[in-house]
Amino acid sequence: MVLEGNPDVGSPRTSDLQHLENQGSCVLSSPGEDAQPGEEPIKYGELIVLGYNGCLASGDKGRRRSRLALSRRPHANGVKPDVMHHISTPLVSKALSNRGQHSISYTLSRSHSVIVEYTHDSDTDMFQIGRSTENMIDFVVTDTSPGGGAAEGPSAQSTISRYACRILCDRRPPYTSRIYAAGFDASSNIFLGERAAKWRTPDGLMDGLTTNGVLVMHPAGGFSEDSAPGVWREISVCGNVYTLRDSRSAQQRGKLVENESNVLQDGSLIDLCGATLLWRTPAGLLRAPTLKQLEAQRQEANAARPQCPVGLSTLAFPSPARGRTAPDKQQPWVYVRCGHVHGYHGWGCRRERGPQERECPLCRLVGPYVPLWLGQEASLCLDPGPPSHAFAPCGHVCSEKTARYWAQTPLPHGTHAFHAACPFCGAWLTGEHGCVRLIFQGPLD
């Protein structure tokens, strides 16, 4: 069993927060003690929350943001398991009262608890993720609505744990990063109550699961043009890998998957039951398209002067600096069933089918008619291909391989459901393929 924690958990000092230019991400931590003056900190990886397309609607601020870069801390703050105690319940509060001592408490019955204490580990850094805004949480994550909106404020109905999970990163090459369910609270404790799923491992130690669980999916073939979705697994408090429970909060754990690990890979998805995060490694980010490349693609698409096949007006994707507001006059619109791109027009409504249902004037297929928006979170893209496909029904545009990958990737929803969703806005995908190839008409001249 490997249980790790943080003996010095707290929000980073102002000097420890550095902004990455042109990336919209936050570097948590400053250069490590081995870094020379002026050197960039060693980056372990980045976390991107699906559904925000590069920035929270209210703006990325401090620990509440759509993207976070994890870098080596000035001083190691990891811990490792040290001593395990079997104690009676009256002694639990005394054992957990020392805030300088990290521990995990497993309540087996009203009269019996097991407490595992930790000692400092100079080889690891820990970063905690959760809904709580307390100082020990490094990355504050709130629920993302499946309809394409983002619930950025605190919600009484949130299913994300206040102390959802923790990631521990080796401070030495190859800087391996591992994920564990649950994070330490303000008292430096993780508490698994009597009703929580927990058990003794074959070596006599303890392990357990959180109420709604932490699920992880590693893509097959890495996060590249040849990627394919992997299998969703559940990660335990000790970092072991299990098959999914019958429902998200069932007390019976799944089966141990011995040939898989909690090591994060480029493209690994982390689901916290309310929000899904993508992990990108530094090597993976070097292969990902940049914002400059996305902007060059936008300008190239506009330079081709696509036209509305009916109104013959010239279409153009708006600048991302304008933000996603009301569509402008040159905004391209698409019939998501067939992919024919037009300018906006008011005819063809099929109100008996719904307010968004329109009949394409070129092929007569009836379906949603929506404005097209370029995906702006480059880290969600598998390749720098041209913006040729759009997700249905939201209209976010990206490359073909990026669209097809996300369209076939089921994301957890609720206690036992899965839905493919647009990674840029979180809207559930519809139609046979979840995306459509865009058909533009060039200028007549």
Side-chain angles (χ1 to χ4, degrees):
M1 177 179 75
V2 179
L3 287 177
E4 302 183 35
N6 187 343
D8 192 19
V9 176
S11 62
R13 292 169 295 185
T14 303
S15 61
D16 293 337
L17 292 177
Q18 302 177 11
H19 294 278
L20 287 181
E21 293 182 359
N22 301 323
Q23 292 191 3
S25 62
C26 173
V27 179
L28 183 63
S29 178
S30 62
E33 59 246 12
D34 299 329
Q36 298 299 318
E39 286 186 358
E40 288 292 325
I42 293 173
K43 183 191 294 186
Y44 298 130
E46 291 194 18
L47 291 166
I48 299 96
V49 187
L50 303 189
Y52 293 94
N53 200 18
C55 185
L56 301 184
S58 60
D60 288 348
K61 302 171 184 177
R63 294 173 294 138
R64 190 191 297 273
R65 52 199 311 111
S66 65
R67 176 175 178 171
L68 189 78
L70 307 185
S71 297
R72 188 163 61 178
R73 296 185 184 276
H75 305 285
N77 67 343
V79 294
K80 53 189 176 183
D82 186 23
V83 181
M84 184 169 69
H85 304 280
H86 291 263
I87 60 177
S88 59
T89 300
L91 296 178
V92 172
S93 59
K94 181 178 180 181
L96 299 180
S97 62
N98 183 3
R99 294 197 175 193
Q101 177 69 62
H102 280 70
S103 62
I104 298 183
S105 173
Y106 301 85
T107 302
L108 302 181
S109 68
R110 294 184 178 181
S111 60
H112 185 199
S113 294
V114 175
I115 295 181
V116 180
E117 295 183 349
Y118 299 86
T119 187
H120 176 67
D121 182 5
S122 61
D123 296 325
T124 61
D125 288 332
M126 188 185 84
F127 305 90
Q128 299 209 133
I129 305 164
R131 176 171 49 88
S132 172
T133 58
E134 296 175 272
N135 288 338
M136 78 293 302
I137 297 298
D138 299 298
F139 192 17
V140 179
V141 178
T142 53
D143 298 70
T144 302
S145 301
E152 297 178 24
S155 171
Q157 303 299 321
S158 176
T159 50
I160 300 176
S161 171
R162 290 180 299 161
Y163 318 106
C165 68
R166 60 201 193 278
I167 294 176
L168 289 107
C169 307
D170 291 345
R171 291 173 60 84
R172 303 296 177 189
Y175 307 112
T176 303
S177 299
R178 299 175 175 85
I179 185 168
Y180 301 81
F184 293 98
D185 62 19
S187 299
S188 302
N189 300 311
I190 292 175
F191 182 80
L192 297 182
E194 194 170 349
R195 295 185 179 182
K198 51 191 168 311
W199 58 91
R200 292 183 184 276
T201 61
D203 52 6
L205 301 176
M206 297 295 298
D207 200 355
L209 303 173
T210 55
T211 301
N212 289 328
V214 174
L215 308 188
V216 172
M217 188 270 280
H218 304 302
F223 197 68
S224 65
E225 298 181 18
D226 300 321
S227 292
V231 179
W232 283 100
R233 304 296 194 194
E234 182 163 12
I235 302 297
S236 72
V237 173
C238 301
N240 294 313
V241 182
Y242 292 85
T243 59
L244 301 187
R245 291 178 267 182
D246 291 337
S247 66
R248 194 77 186 232
S249 57
Q251 289 189 304
Q252 182 62 41
R253 71 178 187 273
K255 296 181 180 179
L256 178 67
V257 184
E258 297 184 359
N259 62 338
E260 297 182 17
S261 76
N262 63 335
V263 174
L264 293 174
Q265 307 169 14
D266 188 41
S268 292
L269 290 174
I270 303 167
D271 188 81
L272 305 179
C273 195
T276 305
L277 286 63
L278 173 70
W279 174 259
R280 297 304 309 267
T281 62
L285 289 170
L286 289 176
R287 297 190 299 267
T290 64
L291 291 180
K292 289 183 178 180
Q293 287 176 312
L294 294 184
E295 174 60 16
Q297 291 175 350
R298 183 187 74 86
Q299 294 182 9
E300 183 177 351
N302 290 345
R305 296 173 55 219
Q307 289 191 339
C308 174
V310 177
L312 303 182
S313 59
T314 300
L315 308 177
F317 287 104
S319 167
R322 191 174 67 85
R324 180 167 179 167
T325 56
D328 62 22
K329 293 181 179 180
Q330 288 189 297
Q331 186 96 22
W333 288 63
V334 66
Y335 289 89
V336 296
R337 283 197 62 195
C338 59
H340 285 116
V341 179
H342 293 67
Y344 178 76
H345 52 253
W347 62 78
C349 295
R350 291 293 181 267
R351 299 193 183 282
E352 71 277 6
R353 299 275 298 272
Q356 282 191 310
E357 298 291 302
R358 300 283 189 91
E359 181 182 272
C360 175
L362 297 184
C363 67
R364 311 305 294 269
L365 280 177
V366 177
Y369 177 61
V370 298
L372 292 175
W373 304 92
L374 289 172
Q376 291 299 315
E377 179 50 80
S379 298
L380 301 177
C381 301
L382 275 73
D383 67 330
S388 60
H389 284 63
F391 290 107
C394 62
H396 275 104
V397 180
C398 59
S399 70
E400 177 180 5
K401 291 188 176 181
T402 297
R404 296 195 183 283
Y405 174 80
W406 289 108
Q408 62 182 342
T409 300
L411 301 178
H413 169 68
T415 59
H416 55 270
F418 289 82
H419 292 282
C422 171
F424 300 109
C425 71
W428 294 351
L429 303 185
T430 59
E432 182 179 357
H433 302 292
C435 61
V436 63
R437 182 176 67 87
L438 299 176
I439 305 174
F440 290 93
Q441 175 172 296
L444 297 180
D445 56 357

